[in-house]
Amino acid sequence: MLITPAFAQAAGAGDTNSMLMSLLPFALIFVIMYFLILRPQQKKVKDHAELVKNIRRGDTVVTTGGLVGKVTKVVDDDQIEFEISEGVRVRQMRQMISGVRAKGEPAKDKSESVKDETSAS
């Protein structure tokens, strides 16, 4: 025989404790990656979605392309229209807004604006 009986007896089932200890570093790396990379990224995405959702007429916004303008109209849930210069208006997807510099006033209701005009006369 080529294999001695001593070597044949030594080969047995692996210890479950050593298997757990070999998988522990991988689990530890995953936990560290979650707290250092994934969780802050999720928070950043949530904050950006909240910022984009709360854009109003009169806000000064900055696009991802670097344009700065004042919001003149909220077209729908996906688009806004803003003025980058006197008489130059641009439509932009809301998701492409990178920041809001100055908050504007909330838009008045039509009934409030009619009352203001009649009381001023």
Side-chain angles (χ1 to χ4, degrees), residues 6-13:
F7 286 127
Q9 290 175 357

Side-chain angles (χ1 to χ4, degrees), residues 32-67:
I32 290 171
M33 274 183 37
Y34 174 76
F35 282 107
L36 293 179
I37 297 171
L38 297 175
R39 194 167 175 218
Q41 184 65 24
Q42 288 173 346
K43 185 176 186 274
K44 187 177 178 182
V45 167
K46 184 179 175 183
D47 290 343
H48 182 261
E50 186 70 24
L51 173 92
V52 167
K53 187 177 99 175
N54 292 329
I55 292 177
R56 296 181 175 150
R57 188 176 73 206
D59 290 350
T60 301
V61 295
V62 180
T63 66
T64 54
L67 293 175

Side-chain angles (χ1 to χ4, degrees), residues 42-105:
Q42 288 173 346
K43 185 176 186 274
K44 187 177 178 182
V45 167
K46 184 179 175 183
D47 290 343
H48 182 261
E50 186 70 24
L51 173 92
V52 167
K53 187 177 99 175
N54 292 329
I55 292 177
R56 296 181 175 150
R57 188 176 73 206
D59 290 350
T60 301
V61 295
V62 180
T63 66
T64 54
L67 293 175
V68 178
K70 190 170 188 176
V71 176
T72 57
K73 181 180 178 184
V74 177
V75 178
D76 56 14
D77 289 342
D78 293 333
Q79 293 182 7
I80 63 168
E81 183 178 282
F82 64 98
E83 188 171 46
I84 55 176
S85 180
E86 193 75 30
V88 180
R89 293 186 176 175
V90 179
R91 277 194 179 188
Q92 181 80 29
M93 298 298 293
R94 280 185 182 234
Q95 295 299 323
M96 299 302 289
I97 300 298
S98 64
V100 177
R101 287 217 168 158
K103 292 285 188 183
E105 295 179 9

